[in-house]
Amino acid sequence: MQVPASFEYERAHSVAETISLLARHGPEARVVAGGHSLLPMMKLRLAQPEVLIDINGIAELAYLRVEAGELRIGAMTRHADLLGSDLVARNFPILIDAERVIADPIVRNRGTVGGSLCQADPSEDLAAAFVATQATVVLVGAEGTRVVPVSEFHTGPYETVAGPAEILTEVRLPIRAGAGSAYEKVERRAGDWAVAAAGAAVWLQDGVATDVGIGLAAVGAEHFRATEAETALRGRPLDEAAIDEAAAIAGRNAHPSTDQRGPAEYKRHLVTELTARALRRAGARARAQEA
Ligand SMILES: Cc1cc2nc3c(=O)[nH]c(=O)nc-3n(C[C@H](O)[C@H](O)[C@H](O)COP(=O)(O)OP(=O)(O)OC[C@H]3O[C@@H](n4cnc5c(N)ncnc54)[C@H](O)[C@@H]3O)c2cc1C
């Protein structure tokens, strides 16, 4: 049986209390949300925090609402709440697509949006979906609050720009007219991490893609993003030729590695195929909104 090293346990009741506990205990303290990533790492001794600060009691961090033209998702929102939300389904079907294929109901009932983003696993599905939708995250620390694009939040595998005494409190997704979005993932068996995955958001006006977001998971794309593929599509009619061209570029934007989930070339092929499928479905959803 794997057992974590010993640690102190604190329970925070507010964001302010969490920040002051993090400041008091220093860099060896970690917050625990759903615990689905942190606790297994502690059991394997890959993480050995001296103090765990439990943020599950912070009711002010669990919400889904529209404010200032944005969908705002509190960090402690569980995967299952996102999946069950009509508000999310109406505005960002990409998140429903992604949540349907994240793990299983046990993980989704407990795992959180904030924990998923802060874990920064390179195969994390929500990171790719949030990059596609041009989301930002709100980070709060002793120095104040800052808003960072999700496309700049992850700096590498398991690394983010969040400081040791900062917490992620909210994800913000701009709600804009003409939008459609979709997520496509290939996994070896239901509930597994992605072999490769692609998310797309398009904003159409008279059939032209005025803006585009493409996120990639599990394939070594810098910041989970296919930036060049987005640029190739922006300002063009979203037709089959444009989609195929952007999808091929996305394949070149990916840097997958060969591992137990498959060879790199297979994953690169998947990126091209999944990006094309996500763009097509995102386009169809945008047109359905317009009609
Ligand atoms: C069997 C299994 C299968 C899975 N499959 C998938 C999958 O297919 N796709 C996928 O995307 N994910 C998958 N996951 C991950 C799942 O989505 C987890 O919920 C997620 O990784 C972590 O969320 P959590 O709330 O449990 O975070 P925790 O484990 O509590 O925390 C993770 C890290 O984030 C930090 N943290 C947590 N919340 C905050 C915050 N608000 N501010 C700052 N730091 C914070 C913690 O200190 C810790 O370092 C899987 C997990 C398991 C166990």
Side-chain angles (χ1 to χ4, degrees):
M1 189 174 63
Q2 290 156 336
V3 178
S6 62
F7 56 87
E8 275 181 58
Y9 176 84
E10 301 259 19
R11 185 178 277 267
H13 300 92
S14 68
V15 172
E17 189 184 5
T18 309
I19 304 304
S20 79
L21 284 168
L22 282 170
R24 190 193 321 152
H25 291 293
E28 297 311 320
R30 293 277 277 279
V31 300
V32 61
H36 270 301
S37 293
L38 184 54
L39 299 187
M41 286 179 68
M42 288 171 64
K43 287 182 180 174
L44 293 169
R45 309 273 173 131
L46 294 171
Q48 298 199 27
E50 289 169 9
V51 185
L52 269 195
I53 300 167
D54 187 343
I55 58 173
N56 282 277
I58 309 183
E60 65 183 282
L61 285 182
Y63 56 84
L64 283 159
R65 62 171 174 253
V66 173
E67 195 179 318
E70 297 173 320
L71 173 66
R72 298 197 166 177
I73 305 173
M76 287 304 292
T77 302
R78 313 281 171 181
H79 292 296
D81 296 326
L82 213 54
L83 182 56
S85 163
D86 289 339
L87 180 62
V88 173
R90 244 188 343 270
N91 291 288
F92 296 99
I94 185 173
L95 298 181
I96 307 295
D97 291 346
E99 284 293 0
R100 279 203 184 106
V101 288
I102 290 178
D104 50 41
I106 296 168
V107 173
R108 292 200 296 263
N109 282 340
R110 193 77 189 153
T112 65
V113 169
S116 295
L117 284 175
C118 292
Q119 178 64 19
D121 188 298
S123 301
E124 162 57 39
D125 291 296
L126 285 184
F130 286 140
V131 161
T133 52
Q134 305 182 352
T136 56
V137 291
V138 179
L139 301 175
V140 179
E143 308 294 315
T145 298
R146 56 190 179 128
V147 180
V148 177
V150 175
S151 59
E152 293 170 19
F153 180 65
H154 299 100
T155 49
Y158 309 103
E159 284 177 11
T160 74
V161 297
E166 263 183 330
I167 65 164
L168 189 158
T169 57
E170 186 175 78
V171 186
R172 297 177 173 175
L173 291 80
I175 298 174
R176 291 155 54 194
S181 60
Y183 194 75
E184 295 278 347
K185 170 173 168 176
V186 165
E187 52 199 346
R188 289 177 307 172
R189 54 182 179 268
D192 199 1
W193 292 89
V195 176
V202 296
W203 289 269
L204 295 186
Q205 201 177 344
D206 301 325
V208 170
T210 53
D211 205 355
V212 184
I214 300 175
L216 304 176
V219 290
E222 209 176 333
H223 302 292
F224 291 90
R225 187 173 187 188
T227 311
E228 282 174 58
E230 292 173 358
T231 307
L233 255 189
R234 210 166 279 128
R236 291 180 63 181
L238 190 70
D239 56 24
E240 275 301 303
I243 287 174
D244 287 346
E245 193 183 310
I249 295 171
R252 296 200 290 275
N253 287 164
H255 305 284
S257 27
T258 297
D259 58 17
Q260 80 279 14
R261 291 199 165 83
E265 270 322 294
Y266 167 59
K267 294 183 188 180
R268 195 184 296 282
H269 167 76
L270 284 180
V271 170
T272 301
E273 183 56 35
L274 297 179
T275 302
R277 288 186 200 174
L279 283 168
R280 264 184 227 120
R281 283 210 299 135
R285 283 171 169 168
R287 285 182 209 102
Q289 291 265 343
E290 267 180 340

